[in-house]
Each structure stands twice: as structure tokens, then as C-alpha cells.
Amino acid sequence: MALWSLKMNCVNANQRRVVAFGIGGAGCNVLSQLPTNARGAAVELVAVNTDANALSKLSSIQTLQLGSSGEPAGEPERGRIAAKATQEAVELSLAGVEQLSLFAGMGGGTGTGASVEIARIACRQGISVRAFVTTPFAFEGGRWMQRALAGLAELRPWVEILEVVDNERTMNRFALSETWDQILHAANKELVLRSGLK
């Protein structure tokens, strides 16, 4: 059974709802990096994942578990299936939303597969959807890049705006002295800047 966090606040029916979904591990990390002034009433943040353990570690934002296994999706198709299985909860979380911003890392399971399905659901509800995603590092391998490119092609028809940050280019901008966390932070920051949620 999908879990829609009870941390969800009551929303005035006359209030314009703007929501940001962080989908999968990478997407949830982006939400945690959003500046404090983007976490107020103007933008609702929702961490979306198949991984129940990862969601349990998030205490300051709403959470939505996809599927019933509670395990990482691993493959895009599993992420898509989990999102479809949780469609009713996704639709409920999007009720009354005018604009949805999606954050995800393409190439993995939940981010790649579920983001496409969620964008489709939102689009069919008449919601303006914008997507801000990353593509894999070179060391993650050709298979990850193939999955990322396939996911981008499937996502594009369902969004009004698609912004892509190339993780490999981000890494190449840094000196060898930079840490892995700093590189990931920079990629996430680029997504946040492009989204306008700053």
C-alpha cells in the first residue's frame, strides 16, 4: 500500500498550489538542498521514492512512497510500475496543483521510470509540468546513459519545460581537489537555479 505522508498540510482551496517533487534518490537530494525561503507556503516539497528506508530519514518535508515493496526500484521499468501502482495517491497529492516541478536523476530506476509516469499523470490532470534532471557521470557506464536518454525521450512529451544538467560536465569544471559531495552539490545547485526555486 502506498504511503502518502500525514505531514501534508491543509491547503486553502482558493490558494494556488505550486509543488516540487523530488523523485528517486537524486531528486530527493535536490529537495534537501533547496534554500529555506523556497520551503515556505508558496512551494510544497514532496520527496517521492520507492525506497521506504530513504524516505524514513526525511523529517522536514512531505513524502510519498511509490509501490508496496519499500525497496529501491533498480530498473526504470520497476519505477514506472511502482508509480502506476500508486497512481491514486499521486493524483491525490496533485489535487488542485497548478504547477509541478520535477527533480530527478536520469539513468537509475525510480528517477527515470517514475518521473515519466508522474509527468504523464500530472499532464492529464491539466497541470503545468516542468522537469529538471541530470544525466549520468561517464564512469556510471553506457547502460546508464542509454537508460537516461531513453527516459528523456519519454519524458519530453509530457512537460512544458525540460532542463538537463550533464553531471559529467559539472565534474569536469572542478579541480581534482574537489570532493565528491561538492560535485554533487554543484549539480543539484544548478538544477535549483534553473528551476527558479531559489
Side-chain angles (χ1 to χ4, degrees):
M1 182 177 182
L3 302 178
W4 172 233
S5 172
L6 295 179
K7 289 180 285 184
M8 181 177 180
N9 297 321
C10 294
V11 178
N12 187 319
N14 296 318
Q15 182 179 350
R16 179 175 181 265
R17 289 191 66 197
V18 179
V19 175
F21 273 17
I23 305 175
C28 292
N29 286 339
V30 173
L31 291 194
S32 68
Q33 196 169 309
L34 279 169
T36 303
N37 63 324
R39 302 187 187 192
V43 181
E44 298 173 48
L45 306 183
V46 183
V48 182
N49 210 335
T50 56
D51 188 338
N53 183 56
L55 290 177
S56 70
K57 297 176 181 178
L58 302 173
S59 59
S60 61
I61 58 178
Q62 301 169 35
T63 60
L64 174 59
Q65 182 185 322
L66 301 178
S68 58
S69 73
E71 299 295 328
E75 296 287 337
E77 187 57 24
R78 292 179 184 172
R80 184 193 304 274
I81 291 171
K84 286 183 177 180
T86 320
Q87 180 168 335
E88 186 176 343
V90 173
E91 291 172 344
L92 177 62
S93 71
L94 294 175
V97 171
E98 292 187 25
Q99 180 179 296
L100 173 65
S101 293
L102 302 179
F103 296 94
M106 305 303 281
T110 304
T112 307
S115 62
V116 174
E117 190 62 25
I118 290 172
R120 181 190 67 81
I121 292 169
C123 185
R124 290 182 174 177
Q125 288 185 226
I127 299 169
S128 171
V129 185
R130 311 185 307 162
F132 306 90
V133 303
T134 58
T135 52
F137 294 97
F139 67 78
E140 292 178 283
R143 182 166 176 266
W144 273 65
M145 182 56 75
Q146 288 176 355
R147 296 194 309 192
L149 294 177
L152 288 172
E154 293 176 343
L155 180 61
R156 188 168 281 108
W158 302 108
V159 300
E160 295 181 6
I161 295 174
L162 178 59
E163 293 277 355
V164 181
V165 171
D166 184 337
N167 276 342
E168 186 67 17
R169 287 187 180 180
T170 301
M171 185 169 67
N172 289 338
R173 290 204 308 264
F174 285 84
L176 294 177
S177 60
E178 298 293 343
T179 68
W180 178 243
D181 285 344
Q182 287 173 317
I183 293 171
L184 292 178
H185 185 88
N188 291 343
K189 183 178 180 180
E190 181 67 22
L191 288 181
V192 171
L193 289 174
R194 292 193 187 192
S195 73
L197 302 179
K198 54 184 180 177

